[in-house]
Amino acid sequence: LIIFLGAATCAAFIGIGVTAAMDDQVDQFDRLAEDLVHQIQRAWEDYVTAASMIHGRCRGRNFTRADFRQTYEYLVGSGLDFQAAQFDPNITREERPAVEQEARDFYGQHYPHIEYRGIIGFETANSTTVEPRSEQDYYFPIHYMEPVIGNEAAIDLDYHASGSRKRTVLFCMNEGKPALTDRLRLVQEKTESAFGVVLMHPGYNLTEQVATQKAAEAEAARQGEDAEPIDVSKLDIEAYTEPWPRDLASIVIRIPDLLRRAGKTRGDQSIVSLYDMSDSNGIPLFLGSAQIDGNPQRKEPATLTFLPEETLDELYERVAETKALYHEQVVHAANKEWIVAVYSVDGTYKPNVLFVVLGGVIIFVASLALAAWMYTNQRRIDTYNQMKAASEAERAALILDNARQATKAERELNDFIAHEVRNPVAAAMSACSFVKNAIEGDHPLNTEEQRQETRDDVNIIDNALRFVNDLLRNMLDMHRAANKQLKVNMTPTDILHDVLESVHAMLPQRDPKFAVEVDCPEGLVTMTDRLRLKQVCLNLARNSVKFIHEGFIRLRAQVIDNEVHIFIEDSGPGIPADKRQMLFSKFQESLDSLSQGTGIGLFLCKNLVALMDGEIRLDDNYDSGIPGNPGTRFVVNLKQPPIDPKAMQEYHTHHTTKETGDTTPLSDDEESVPYELPQSLSVLFVDDDPILRKLFARTIRTVVPSWSIREAANGETALRLVETNQFDLIFMDMYMASVEKQLLGTEAVRELRKQGVTCRICGLSANDKEMEFLQAGADSFCFKPFPCEPVALTQELCRILYADVAGESSVSN
């Protein structure tokens, strides 16, 4: 059944397709034929325009033969093909002698080989030779003509003598419209089947305004410079009104030239014939015919082959015999009606049925394929189900593998943290036990030795806790830098005073075995983030402090290839070759033999330098020059050119200096306090840890003992307190437990703002919750733990209170 339906569909498709292809060819031929007719009409209009231009130039006879020659050359330059351009003035009997004398003088001077015979014409309707015209009241001779060479027989030929020329002249003068003669055999024509026509144009009647303007100009010229305002109503306008129609402009047109102009841009192949339906003989008269062989790409003009004369009836018979496609249309050419007949050439416009037949074959083959498909469909479905099951099993295995990889990565991170934290915590616990025993003993701290040991133990505890704090903060900065969450503030920076000297001041200077040196030219200023660059240099320099035993640590800056480079050099033991490949990797092994350091500092440095569009690398060829200590050199290429130090002053004049505080503070005394803290302030500290609340109050009172500090264990308590109390500053922790419900710090901030609380609110968390707090309505954010040193604490409180005023960042560690 499927094969039978396919065969029937194939036959129907071929039948409908062949019919549609034939109709499409007919439509295409009709469109192209109509376009050719329009081209003939446009070509004809070009000739009418040219005749009008000749008449306009010669109107009033205020021109010379040189002017007429210039008009002719302009027409030739425009690309218009014609046999001759003429101007035929209306000459009266009285004007004839002077006109003939002017022509005789002109031709005798410029064309001495021409025998001028005066005004000539065909005296009778059946005359075949021209002769001097008899005495008439007026004449319309071809007095001006270009080109002269080749048209000598038409010099001063009177169009008003007889025949169709006279009828054409009378039509122009009576109707005031352009007119065509009947078909003419041009005297100079050499092609047997080529005919021509003469287009005569009487010009156009000018308005009264032109005559008025001419009369006014004449009156002004008569009165001279002292002319008074001219009264138009008193002017003799009739004296300046030209009679119309008076003279004629004419163009001799060869029908082959007309067809060539219309068909030169064709891209198809067809035959076009012209017939004059309004000939004086009363029958359609052949004008011309040509076969057009166009270029389909239209890169070259079409080739026209002119055909011999045939009657319209003969044309109809030939079209019927050849079954050619035929299109006929009547067009108006001045006072004539022409038939434009277009028909196809043998072998053209044949319907292309190849694709139709191919489509039918494809349909039949498709029916066979459909039958085969139905036969094999069940097997294909079974195969698909098997592949689907295998794919699902593979996807499940992939999910399981990804889960294992994630678990492994988490375990490695936990192992890393446990490994890095275990030693400092163990040291802190041991030192804390020693301090506890020293304080609770029978004679606590009686001797200087006991007090010194206790100071050492306290330093051990402080260093261990700072190490853990730095580890957690570096991991946070590492995450934020890797995710492009850190911001850079590129400002003009003095490398010596703003960066290297500050880092030099923060390094330990008490060890006499090595020296910290700074080598930087004075006035080296470039665009960079001062805080980030100090963090990178300090991290690298502190690594050198851990490993160096003698020699030096050198902080050096230099301009190479118009780019600022910073070098951190030391005379330490150097980095083993097997560890250099993974030097800047996350969680890389410690670089020293005692496995000190967090293992993520260099990875953080790489990310910070990348944020500033720079690069950092290890110089493998460096040697410190100290035997046994090859040393290490890190090169930071800022990829920024040095700038004029004056630009730094201009920048700070027009910009408010601000530095984001997203990273670990570099020093307690690094920045000066921008504002003074108010002596009276009401503060609410919200945290679920009572120890942290107690320590916060103690810490605040070290710098501003006069502040009033209230405590709340959760967000719900804070909401109740603000109903009866007014606070100037609220610190809000992120995660807090409650017996009633779990209310996050951001949720508490949002509720406070809803209740109309307008005081400053600072979010607190050990995690990066800056965006959550700011979106909830907080004014600033601070990472826990809170700084305890007086200067750093004062800086942080000023930042929280005045961040909006100073243009500083709303977040800090």
Side-chain angles (χ1 to χ4, degrees), residues 206-222 230-242:
L206 301 181
T207 61
E208 184 179 338
Q209 182 178 357
V210 176
T212 302
Q213 184 176 354
K214 289 184 178 180
E217 291 176 354
E219 180 64 19
R222 186 185 64 80
I230 298 174
D231 187 355
V232 177
S233 61
K234 297 180 180 181
L235 296 175
D236 184 9
I237 297 177
E238 293 184 0
Y240 295 91
T241 302
E242 297 179 0

Side-chain angles (χ1 to χ4, degrees), residues 70-180:
Q70 184 180 25
T71 303
Y72 159 75
E73 291 181 355
Y74 181 83
L75 292 177
V76 172
S78 67
L80 191 66
D81 295 326
F82 54 89
Q83 186 67 28
Q86 304 167 346
F87 182 69
D88 319 314
N90 187 345
I91 303 300
T92 63
R93 180 186 304 172
E94 292 75 14
E95 295 173 333
R96 178 176 178 177
V99 169
E100 289 180 338
Q101 184 60 43
E102 184 273 336
R104 186 174 290 106
D105 294 340
F106 173 76
Y107 291 110
Q109 179 181 357
H110 296 88
Y111 302 94
H113 67 281
I114 297 177
E115 181 182 355
Y116 179 71
R117 296 187 294 167
I119 298 178
I120 58 176
F122 297 95
E123 285 295 307
T124 62
N126 297 325
S127 177
T128 59
T129 60
V130 295
E131 52 188 325
R133 286 285 282 142
S134 60
E135 292 292 331
Q136 304 290 332
D137 291 336
Y138 59 90
Y139 314 87
F140 279 91
I142 308 174
H143 194 62
Y144 300 92
M145 178 176 59
E146 290 290 349
V148 174
I149 304 301
N151 295 301
E152 295 90 340
I155 295 175
D156 270 344
L157 177 65
D158 184 11
Y159 277 145
H160 191 255
S162 63
S164 67
R165 300 177 181 85
K166 183 174 181 179
R167 290 191 295 271
T168 305
V169 170
L170 294 177
F171 180 88
C172 291
M173 301 304 292
N174 294 331
E175 301 296 332
K177 298 178 180 179
L180 276 174

Side-chain angles (χ1 to χ4, degrees), residues 685 687-699 711:
F685 187 80
D687 196 301
D688 61 333
D689 191 332
I691 297 177
L692 290 181
R693 295 199 301 270
K694 179 180 179 181
L695 293 176
F696 174 80
R698 289 180 57 186
T699 303
E711 300 177 10

Side-chain angles (χ1 to χ4, degrees), residues 354-573:
L354 174 63
F355 293 102
V356 176
V357 175
L358 182 61
V361 173
I362 291 175
I363 292 176
F364 183 72
V365 173
S367 64
L368 296 178
L370 178 61
W373 175 82
M374 293 184 65
Y375 176 77
T376 58
N377 183 48
Q378 190 60 44
R379 292 183 59 187
R380 189 163 53 251
I381 292 176
D382 293 340
T383 303
Y384 170 77
N385 291 335
Q386 293 176 1
M387 293 176 62
K388 183 178 180 181
S391 176
E392 291 178 351
E394 183 179 356
R395 182 168 58 181
L398 182 61
I399 293 174
L400 180 60
D401 183 65
N402 289 338
R404 290 174 178 171
Q405 293 292 337
T407 303
K408 179 181 178 182
E410 182 178 0
R411 183 172 60 254
E412 290 178 352
L413 176 61
N414 293 335
D415 292 344
F416 171 79
I417 295 177
H419 173 270
E420 295 296 332
V421 172
R422 184 182 300 113
N423 289 340
V425 169
M429 293 176 63
S430 299
C432 186
S433 175
F434 294 149
V435 172
K436 181 178 179 181
N437 292 335
I439 295 175
E440 293 179 352
D442 295 336
H443 305 286
L445 307 179
N446 284 340
T447 66
E448 180 61 28
E449 181 181 359
Q450 290 178 331
R451 287 193 292 271
Q452 183 60 41
E453 290 178 350
T454 302
R455 291 191 193 98
D456 294 339
D457 292 338
V458 170
N459 287 332
I460 292 174
I461 297 172
D462 180 68
N463 290 332
L465 294 179
R466 287 182 181 275
F467 176 86
V468 174
N469 184 56
D470 289 344
L471 170 64
L472 298 178
R473 291 184 185 279
N474 283 337
M475 291 184 66
L476 178 61
D477 279 351
M478 177 183 66
H479 172 76
R480 299 180 73 186
N483 290 279
K484 307 299 182 182
Q485 293 179 346
L486 287 180
K487 301 176 183 178
V488 292
N489 182 23
M490 304 294 284
T491 60
T493 302
D494 189 322
I495 299 299
L496 175 61
H497 299 296
D498 292 342
V499 179
L500 299 185
E501 288 184 347
S502 298
V503 174
H504 177 272
M506 286 182 269
L507 295 178
Q509 306 289 322
R510 295 186 299 269
D511 195 335
K513 295 181 180 180
F514 68 89
V516 180
E517 304 174 359
V518 176
D519 181 9
C520 176
E522 189 75 28
L524 178 56
V525 179
T526 189
M527 293 294 294
T528 186
D529 187 312
R530 178 164 57 93
L531 185 61
R532 304 290 180 214
L533 185 57
K534 281 192 288 187
Q535 184 179 1
V536 170
C537 294
L538 184 61
N539 199 335
L540 297 174
R542 283 177 174 172
N543 281 342
S544 297
V545 171
K546 296 177 184 177
F547 303 143
I548 189 171
H549 299 292
E550 61 177 341
F552 61 88
I553 298 176
R554 184 181 298 119
L555 311 176
R556 185 166 62 89
Q558 184 179 353
V559 178
I560 302 176
D561 295 333
N562 201 35
E563 292 180 344
V564 177
H565 291 65
I566 295 179
F567 304 89
I568 309 299
E569 306 168 346
D570 64 51
S571 57

Side-chain angles (χ1 to χ4, degrees), residues 17 79 89 168 177 257 262 281 324 326 336 422 435 469 515 568 598 638 677 696 704 718 729 755-756 796 808:
T168 305
K177 298 178 180 179
D257 291 340
N281 294 327
Y326 182 76
K336 300 287 188 178
R422 184 182 300 113
V435 172
N469 184 56
I568 309 299
T598 64
L638 298 180
L677 294 175
F696 174 80
V704 276
L729 176 60
Q755 293 186 12
E796 188 66 8
E808 297 176 349

Side-chain angles (χ1 to χ4, degrees), residues 573-594:
I575 297 176
D578 59 337
K579 294 186 178 182
R580 294 184 181 184
Q581 185 176 1
M582 304 297 293
L583 188 62
F584 295 100
S585 301
K586 186 190 297 185
F587 307 140
Q588 93 279 7
E589 296 179 0
S590 178
L591 303 178
D592 61 330
S593 58
L594 298 178

